[in-house]
Amino acid sequence: MDDPARLHWIASHILPHEPEVRGWLRRYVRTLGSHDIDDLVQEAYARLWTADYGHIANGRSYLFAVIRNLLLEQARHARVVPMERLGEIDSLLIPSEEPGPDRRASARQELERLESIVADLPERCRRAFELQKFHGLSQREVALEMNITEKTVEKHLAFALARVLEILREDKEQVLEQRQPSTKSHDTEQSRD
Amino acid sequence: MTQSNPEIDITAAEWAVRLHGRALSAQEQIELDHWLGADTRHRGALLRARAVWSDLDRLAALVGRPKAPSSDVNGQGITSVPSSSAPPAVEATGPQAPNPPVRSQLHPVPFQTSHGVEASATNTKHDAEVSFRPLNNRRRLVLAGVAATLFTSAGAWWLEQRATYVSKVGEIRRVTLSDGSRMILNTATEATVRYDKKRREIELATGEGLFEVTKDPLRPFIVRTGSVSVRAIGTVFAVRSVDQRVDVTVTEGIVELLDNSAARNAVIRRIAANEQATVMETREVQVQSIPHAEAERRLAWRDGMVDFAGESLGAAVREINRHNRRQIVIDDAALDARPVVGIFRVDDPDGFAATVATALRVHSVILGDAVHLRLRSAP
């Protein structure tokens, strides 16, 4: 998958829809915990590793479809399929409305958001990130400029990226901490023959 | 052994940066293959991390000079947008209005402006101050305004929204907002969404909305009606504004009720989970506690869902039937008392019957305008 075109495609066709999918999972599959949602999202991306993305017309529908299939697989493998989950998957309210009609305005928002993340990074880490991402220096050049080893540059950059990934996840999931499914323990054993 | 998701993301970030920056050593390649082989989630996490990392290049390219030669590091032309000190010259390059509304920043800014900004930013120091300063915001907006005019791709993973949603009579409309928050409009409702950096605002012109708010301490979520506003950070609540009367029901978290006519953001009072506030035309406010289950239930149907936690099938069917022309009929009284657990669409009796049939191992049969649930004949 060392394929810039694939990464670009994922960045433009899948990433934008991840928050919506997470929100949707949280809302409609209440039996899932936050780690379940992370698992599902990671599994969904794993499918994209080999997927023939050139033939995927709509990234959003594709992402929802993959997630739905993963849920169904899980339901099939579960020894007892909770009725709740069955009901949810069956009725599967995949939202038809795309969020964010005014996409052109979003660049500013994105930039500001990125800047606020960058601004919160530790000083050296922020510097390394800025030099590479905003000024286009290579890792070696960043190392020279900052008078540190390339390994350390990598550490700084990885920290910055991990922070972005964390915010992408966290941002959408804090509601979950407050929202414990109230009927989680009701299994179907009691409602089955 | 098994990594937690945050740990997976950290490892994925390390590999993403390495793969992006240079060729791996043979030893590293082995390590990477080993890690990837250990769990399919690792592959997904790496792909996601790499996509984000490369997407940051796209964003960075919007900020300033995409690829400056290294000799430029200490020379002219270094943009330092995220750095916090903004030289005064920058202000002069901004839009002419001294304090323009955010919206106006979307007007095209001549591309030269960005060069002006860059040049004037030459002696910006990379100091350690990272707080947001008001002065800096203006500068950010200038650059971002430039970026917005250059930017046409849909590859935005944090979005701004500005749109009006209307539900017709009898319609329940669900909208997922760009931050993952959800808004469900009950019948005959009009709501306008305005998101920007500082706030997430919904103007409820009329009708009723349920808001499930994703937490964002930096951007409060505000629902405005004619007389009052409701401010939340991350919570679930409904606002109904009909005939000069506003009802606010909270099921999770706390919201603040603000008086629109008083001094800016004057808090009338706080409303906690399982409370319902009614604001009359006179601005008189009454707050009453309601049981949590009741609050949930009140909101569940607004969401187009019903939530059963062990109610009898008979009761569940009555509840579903209330909302639909197509009725569900239980043919065998023996089924009446069977418990039902689950969340169902209130407007989908067929789906409900099919699910019940699967879970309870009974038959569902469609006869005329009704769905019948009956025991299977003995094998």
PDB file of all heavy atoms in Angstrom, chain B residues 242-257:
ATOM      1  N   VAL B 242     -42.380  26.920  20.284  1.00  0.00           N
ATOM      2  CA  VAL B 242     -43.629  27.009  19.535  1.00  0.00           C
ATOM      3  C   VAL B 242     -44.539  27.986  20.270  1.00  0.00           C
ATOM      4  O   VAL B 242     -44.671  27.917  21.497  1.00  0.00           O
ATOM      5  CB  VAL B 242     -44.304  25.616  19.439  1.00  0.00           C
ATOM      6  CG1 VAL B 242     -45.668  25.736  18.777  1.00  0.00           C
ATOM      7  CG2 VAL B 242     -43.430  24.648  18.660  1.00  0.00           C
ATOM      8  N   ASP B 243     -45.146  28.902  19.538  1.00  0.00           N
ATOM      9  CA  ASP B 243     -46.090  29.855  20.114  1.00  0.00           C
ATOM     10  C   ASP B 243     -45.523  30.597  21.316  1.00  0.00           C
ATOM     11  O   ASP B 243     -46.143  30.643  22.381  1.00  0.00           O
ATOM     12  CB  ASP B 243     -47.387  29.128  20.541  1.00  0.00           C
ATOM     13  CG  ASP B 243     -48.094  28.549  19.329  1.00  0.00           C
ATOM     14  OD1 ASP B 243     -47.847  29.058  18.216  1.00  0.00           O
ATOM     15  OD2 ASP B 243     -48.868  27.590  19.506  1.00  0.00           O
ATOM     16  N   GLN B 244     -44.371  31.180  21.158  1.00  0.00           N
ATOM     17  CA  GLN B 244     -43.779  32.032  22.199  1.00  0.00           C
ATOM     18  C   GLN B 244     -43.441  31.287  23.476  1.00  0.00           C
ATOM     19  O   GLN B 244     -43.180  31.893  24.500  1.00  0.00           O
ATOM     20  CB  GLN B 244     -44.732  33.190  22.573  1.00  0.00           C
ATOM     21  CG  GLN B 244     -45.290  33.964  21.402  1.00  0.00           C
ATOM     22  CD  GLN B 244     -44.191  34.703  20.665  1.00  0.00           C
ATOM     23  OE1 GLN B 244     -43.272  35.251  21.261  1.00  0.00           O
ATOM     24  NE2 GLN B 244     -44.264  34.682  19.339  1.00  0.00           N
ATOM     25  N   ARG B 245     -43.475  29.988  23.420  1.00  0.00           N
ATOM     26  CA  ARG B 245     -43.157  29.242  24.615  1.00  0.00           C
ATOM     27  C   ARG B 245     -41.997  28.312  24.280  1.00  0.00           C
ATOM     28  O   ARG B 245     -41.983  27.686  23.223  1.00  0.00           O
ATOM     29  CB  ARG B 245     -44.382  28.425  25.036  1.00  0.00           C
ATOM     30  CG  ARG B 245     -44.132  27.491  26.188  1.00  0.00           C
ATOM     31  CD  ARG B 245     -45.347  26.615  26.399  1.00  0.00           C
ATOM     32  NE  ARG B 245     -44.907  25.354  26.977  1.00  0.00           N
ATOM     33  CZ  ARG B 245     -45.592  24.691  27.882  1.00  0.00           C
ATOM     34  NH1 ARG B 245     -46.762  25.126  28.276  1.00  0.00           N
ATOM     35  NH2 ARG B 245     -45.124  23.567  28.365  1.00  0.00           N
ATOM     36  N   VAL B 246     -41.011  28.261  25.179  1.00  0.00           N
ATOM     37  CA  VAL B 246     -39.832  27.436  24.908  1.00  0.00           C
ATOM     38  C   VAL B 246     -39.714  26.363  25.988  1.00  0.00           C
ATOM     39  O   VAL B 246     -39.767  26.668  27.179  1.00  0.00           O
ATOM     40  CB  VAL B 246     -38.546  28.300  24.894  1.00  0.00           C
ATOM     41  CG1 VAL B 246     -37.326  27.424  24.635  1.00  0.00           C
ATOM     42  CG2 VAL B 246     -38.648  29.400  23.845  1.00  0.00           C
ATOM     43  N   ASP B 247     -39.595  25.133  25.569  1.00  0.00           N
ATOM     44  CA  ASP B 247     -39.372  24.027  26.510  1.00  0.00           C
ATOM     45  C   ASP B 247     -37.981  23.460  26.282  1.00  0.00           C
ATOM     46  O   ASP B 247     -37.587  23.234  25.143  1.00  0.00           O
ATOM     47  CB  ASP B 247     -40.387  22.901  26.272  1.00  0.00           C
ATOM     48  CG  ASP B 247     -41.790  23.317  26.653  1.00  0.00           C
ATOM     49  OD1 ASP B 247     -42.006  23.587  27.846  1.00  0.00           O
ATOM     50  OD2 ASP B 247     -42.654  23.387  25.751  1.00  0.00           O
ATOM     51  N   VAL B 248     -37.289  23.227  27.365  1.00  0.00           N
ATOM     52  CA  VAL B 248     -35.961  22.628  27.266  1.00  0.00           C
ATOM     53  C   VAL B 248     -35.939  21.372  28.126  1.00  0.00           C
ATOM     54  O   VAL B 248     -36.251  21.433  29.317  1.00  0.00           O
ATOM     55  CB  VAL B 248     -34.862  23.603  27.749  1.00  0.00           C
ATOM     56  CG1 VAL B 248     -33.489  22.963  27.620  1.00  0.00           C
ATOM     57  CG2 VAL B 248     -34.926  24.910  26.979  1.00  0.00           C
ATOM     58  N   THR B 249     -35.624  20.245  27.530  1.00  0.00           N
ATOM     59  CA  THR B 249     -35.543  18.993  28.278  1.00  0.00           C
ATOM     60  C   THR B 249     -34.114  18.473  28.171  1.00  0.00           C
ATOM     61  O   THR B 249     -33.563  18.396  27.075  1.00  0.00           O
ATOM     62  CB  THR B 249     -36.498  17.937  27.694  1.00  0.00           C
ATOM     63  OG1 THR B 249     -37.803  18.504  27.597  1.00  0.00           O
ATOM     64  CG2 THR B 249     -36.533  16.687  28.565  1.00  0.00           C
ATOM     65  N   VAL B 250     -33.528  18.141  29.310  1.00  0.00           N
ATOM     66  CA  VAL B 250     -32.134  17.686  29.311  1.00  0.00           C
ATOM     67  C   VAL B 250     -32.080  16.241  29.794  1.00  0.00           C
ATOM     68  O   VAL B 250     -32.661  15.908  30.823  1.00  0.00           O
ATOM     69  CB  VAL B 250     -31.273  18.576  30.236  1.00  0.00           C
ATOM     70  CG1 VAL B 250     -29.817  18.119  30.223  1.00  0.00           C
ATOM     71  CG2 VAL B 250     -31.373  20.034  29.811  1.00  0.00           C
ATOM     72  N   THR B 251     -31.411  15.384  29.042  1.00  0.00           N
ATOM     73  CA  THR B 251     -31.247  14.006  29.514  1.00  0.00           C
ATOM     74  C   THR B 251     -29.827  13.707  29.972  1.00  0.00           C
ATOM     75  O   THR B 251     -29.604  12.787  30.723  1.00  0.00           O
ATOM     76  CB  THR B 251     -31.604  12.979  28.427  1.00  0.00           C
ATOM     77  OG1 THR B 251     -30.863  13.280  27.256  1.00  0.00           O
ATOM     78  CG2 THR B 251     -33.074  12.980  28.130  1.00  0.00           C
ATOM     79  N   GLU B 252     -28.874  14.472  29.486  1.00  0.00           N
ATOM     80  CA  GLU B 252     -27.492  14.235  29.905  1.00  0.00           C
ATOM     81  C   GLU B 252     -26.787  15.562  30.073  1.00  0.00           C
ATOM     82  O   GLU B 252     -26.980  16.470  29.277  1.00  0.00           O
ATOM     83  CB  GLU B 252     -26.734  13.420  28.847  1.00  0.00           C
ATOM     84  CG  GLU B 252     -27.165  11.977  28.779  1.00  0.00           C
ATOM     85  CD  GLU B 252     -26.438  11.230  27.663  1.00  0.00           C
ATOM     86  OE1 GLU B 252     -25.365  11.699  27.264  1.00  0.00           O
ATOM     87  OE2 GLU B 252     -26.978  10.223  27.206  1.00  0.00           O
ATOM     88  N   GLY B 253     -25.932  15.638  31.084  1.00  0.00           N
ATOM     89  CA  GLY B 253     -25.126  16.835  31.261  1.00  0.00           C
ATOM     90  C   GLY B 253     -25.928  18.011  31.777  1.00  0.00           C
ATOM     91  O   GLY B 253     -27.009  17.850  32.352  1.00  0.00           O
ATOM     92  N   ILE B 254     -25.369  19.178  31.582  1.00  0.00           N
ATOM     93  CA  ILE B 254     -25.986  20.410  32.069  1.00  0.00           C
ATOM     94  C   ILE B 254     -25.995  21.414  30.928  1.00  0.00           C
ATOM     95  O   ILE B 254     -25.052  21.478  30.146  1.00  0.00           O
ATOM     96  CB  ILE B 254     -25.169  21.001  33.246  1.00  0.00           C
ATOM     97  CG1 ILE B 254     -25.215  20.044  34.446  1.00  0.00           C
ATOM     98  CG2 ILE B 254     -25.698  22.370  33.660  1.00  0.00           C
ATOM     99  CD1 ILE B 254     -24.382  20.516  35.619  1.00  0.00           C
ATOM    100  N   VAL B 255     -27.048  22.174  30.855  1.00  0.00           N
ATOM    101  CA  VAL B 255     -27.039  23.277  29.886  1.00  0.00           C
ATOM    102  C   VAL B 255     -27.315  24.575  30.638  1.00  0.00           C
ATOM    103  O   VAL B 255     -27.809  24.557  31.768  1.00  0.00           O
ATOM    104  CB  VAL B 255     -28.085  23.085  28.760  1.00  0.00           C
ATOM    105  CG1 VAL B 255     -27.835  21.802  27.998  1.00  0.00           C
ATOM    106  CG2 VAL B 255     -29.507  23.131  29.320  1.00  0.00           C
ATOM    107  N   GLU B 256     -26.997  25.681  30.011  1.00  0.00           N
ATOM    108  CA  GLU B 256     -27.293  26.979  30.592  1.00  0.00           C
ATOM    109  C   GLU B 256     -28.346  27.678  29.757  1.00  0.00           C
ATOM    110  O   GLU B 256     -28.274  27.667  28.527  1.00  0.00           O
ATOM    111  CB  GLU B 256     -26.027  27.847  30.634  1.00  0.00           C
ATOM    112  CG  GLU B 256     -25.018  27.351  31.634  1.00  0.00           C
ATOM    113  CD  GLU B 256     -23.710  28.122  31.543  1.00  0.00           C
ATOM    114  OE1 GLU B 256     -23.339  28.567  30.447  1.00  0.00           O
ATOM    115  OE2 GLU B 256     -23.071  28.267  32.596  1.00  0.00           O
ATOM    116  N   LEU B 257     -29.265  28.267  30.455  1.00  0.00           N
ATOM    117  CA  LEU B 257     -30.317  29.012  29.773  1.00  0.00           C
ATOM    118  C   LEU B 257     -29.916  30.478  29.776  1.00  0.00           C
ATOM    119  O   LEU B 257     -29.662  31.064  30.827  1.00  0.00           O
ATOM    120  CB  LEU B 257     -31.626  28.800  30.545  1.00  0.00           C
ATOM    121  CG  LEU B 257     -32.927  29.180  29.862  1.00  0.00           C
ATOM    122  CD1 LEU B 257     -33.142  28.356  28.613  1.00  0.00           C
ATOM    123  CD2 LEU B 257     -34.085  28.976  30.847  1.00  0.00           C
TER     124      LEU B 257
END
